[in-house]
Amino acid sequence: AFKWADEIQETKLLYIEWSASRTGLINPVAVFEPVELEGTTVSRASVHNISIMEARERGAGDRITVYKANMIIPQIADNLTRSGVRDIPEVCPVCGGQTEVRQLNDVKSLYCTNPDCQAKKIKSFTLFTSRDALNIAGLSEATLEKFIGVGMIHEYADIFHLDRHQEEIVEMDGFGQKSYDNLIAAAEKASHTTLPRMVYGLGVAGIGLANAKMTCRHFKNDFEAMRHATVEELVEIDGIGEVLAQAWTAFFSDGKNNAIVDHLLAELTFEAGDEESSEDADETFAGMNFVITGSLEHFKNRKELQELIERRGGKVTGSVTSKTNYLINNDVASSSSKNKKARELGVPILSEEEFLKL
């Protein structure tokens, strides 16, 4: 076996740029003198949080070494001069609101305290319109920024009333009548969706698409029961722990959030998606955990197989553990790391043919 050695270059840290997100977290990004790494020019790398900055004593002007993790993601390897952390912003770089340093599990991070921060709005709408959520073609982050900036969009429901701004949109730079027509058609199509997509699109902290599906399935798609659920009820759901449950209850204990959701619900029609199809009502794989590896023959890709398992109540994870019920691998006899782990733990290894018999 040959392990690739990362290419490392020395450069100068020019300054720390602070990037706000939809959750209020303000991420530090190191901007340094450009260097050539793995065939490309690199000048930026995430610093992740204040704790890492303090541990490496990073400050503007320091000599640093940088590399590309897995030959892709720029990272700082070391700080050679360690001048110390300074100039943590006291105001948000987007809205000018006050910032505060919060500590969670020994990790210190910077947050914007302004609930109406524009960055929070833009990133939230970007998630809401993304492919796994409402999937509204034509509403890129740049377009959303324009619409939010001129006051066309204040909350999710406004997306379905952009026809009120036809003249203004058609005359916008980069738009025209055809782009406007396509956007309105995309919004109309997106208004017919499934409950898990909407739940995921709301952006409750930590609730991804898989957790949204599991929550909807657990409450049999009764959204009112979901939004009024207690922490105790939520932790009964596979994949939902105390932290996610508290994030959920906190989101729906906010009157403003509930008003926004109510306005959105008035615009949507929920259809029975794959997650809710009656043919899968038997919950064949309820409570089962699967891992998928290797190439597939009966399914286009792993995502298609994963969706089938989730529709029938199962869950797909990335690694084999004592909680895994089945490993799906057409090469049953292979000596891959997942197969070895499965054999050690006594986890059955199924080919696609054997899986389909289940």
Side-chain angles (χ1 to χ4, degrees):
F2 175 76
K3 182 174 176 61
W4 185 263
D6 292 313
E7 179 183 354
I8 297 179
Q9 296 285 358
E10 183 178 331
T11 185
K12 178 182 179 181
L13 177 61
L14 299 176
Y15 59 90
I16 297 292
E17 180 180 279
W18 297 87
S19 175
S21 70
R22 68 179 179 84
T23 61
L25 178 65
I26 305 177
N27 300 295
V29 178
V31 181
F32 44 82
E33 290 181 346
V35 290
E36 289 289 323
L37 281 176
E38 312 290 357
T40 63
T41 302
V42 178
S43 60
R44 299 161 62 85
S46 174
V47 186
H48 306 294
N49 55 58
I50 293 175
S51 293
I52 291 176
M53 289 179 65
E54 290 179 341
R56 302 291 177 86
E57 302 176 79
R58 289 175 184 156
D62 280 335
R63 299 299 298 178
I64 59 174
T65 55
V66 295
Y67 69 103
K68 277 188 177 180
N70 298 319
M71 298 176 65
I72 298 172
I73 305 169
Q75 298 283 318
I76 297 177
D78 196 11
N79 183 4
L80 305 177
T81 49
R82 296 178 177 263
S83 65
V85 176
R86 52 189 180 276
D87 301 327
I88 295 175
E90 296 181 357
V91 297
C92 173
V94 175
C95 69
Q98 290 296 305
T99 63
E100 68 177 18
V101 176
R102 299 175 189 169
Q103 185 161 333
L104 179 64
N105 298 329
D106 299 324
V107 175
K108 290 196 286 187
S109 301
L110 188 67
Y111 285 84
C112 172
T113 60
N114 177 15
D116 298 316
C117 177
Q118 193 82 339
K120 295 180 184 180
K121 284 187 176 182
I122 294 168
K123 298 295 184 182
S124 294
F125 280 103
T126 301
L127 173 68
F128 181 76
T129 59
S130 66
R131 184 178 62 183
D132 287 337
L134 272 287
N135 191 21
I136 305 178
L139 274 182
S140 65
E141 184 168 323
T143 299
L144 285 166
E145 189 170 357
K146 287 181 183 178
F147 289 179
I148 293 169
V150 297
M152 292 182 193
I153 296 177
H154 297 279
E155 58 180 81
Y156 300 132
D158 295 333
I159 290 174
F160 303 98
H161 295 288
L162 289 172
D163 53 338
R164 298 170 180 171
H165 308 281
Q166 179 177 355
E167 288 186 19
E168 195 173 351
I169 292 174
V170 168
E171 292 175 3
M172 274 185 166
D173 185 34
F175 270 84
Q177 187 62 47
K178 186 175 181 180
S179 296
Y180 166 81
D181 291 340
N182 290 341
L183 179 57
I184 297 302
E188 168 58 28
K189 181 180 179 181
S191 68
H192 302 276
T193 188
T194 63
L195 186 59
R197 282 178 172 272
M198 186 208 74
V199 170
Y200 168 64
L202 293 177
V204 180
I207 302 297
L209 183 58
N211 284 334
K213 289 179 180 178
M214 298 292 283
T215 305
C216 291
R217 186 180 295 120
H218 180 84
F219 286 97
K220 302 187 186 305
N221 297 302
D222 183 345
F223 182 69
E224 288 306 306
M226 290 166 61
R227 79 155 112 187
H228 293 107
T230 63
V231 170
E232 291 72 23
E233 291 173 315
L234 291 165
V235 294
E236 294 177 6
I237 304 169
D238 187 27
I240 303 292
E242 187 83 15
V243 173
L244 294 187
Q246 288 179 352
W248 179 277
T249 54
F251 182 91
F252 286 107
S253 65
D254 187 310
K256 185 177 179 180
N257 287 341
N258 280 296
I260 289 171
V261 172
D262 287 336
H263 298 159
L264 173 60
L265 290 172
E267 306 297 334
L268 301 179
T269 301
F270 293 117
E271 301 173 342
D274 289 340
E275 309 89 354
E276 309 161 46
S277 57
S278 58
E279 67 184 70
D280 297 332
D282 55 1
E283 294 280 297
T284 311
F285 303 136
M288 293 186 186
N289 293 310
F290 292 80
V291 175
I292 306 167
T293 191
S295 59
L296 300 174
E297 298 169 2
H298 294 275
F299 298 88
K300 287 187 297 185
N301 49 45
R302 293 182 191 179
K303 186 172 179 63
E304 184 180 57
L305 175 52
Q306 177 177 341
E307 288 174 350
L308 183 147
I309 292 170
E310 290 176 346
R311 287 202 302 271
R312 293 178 177 266
K315 182 179 180 181
V316 176
T317 60
S319 56
V320 178
T321 69
S322 58
K323 294 183 179 180
T324 304
N325 296 96
Y326 295 101
L327 169 64
I328 300 173
N329 186 357
N330 279 322
D331 191 355
V332 175
S334 105
S335 57
S336 69
S337 59
K338 284 188 172 68
N339 277 27
K340 286 181 180 178
K341 189 70 174 179
R343 292 191 190 102
E344 288 173 9
L345 297 173
V347 174
I349 304 172
L350 305 180
S351 66
E352 279 179 275
E353 293 285 355
E354 292 169 323
F355 165 76
L356 290 168
K357 289 177 183 177
L358 290 178

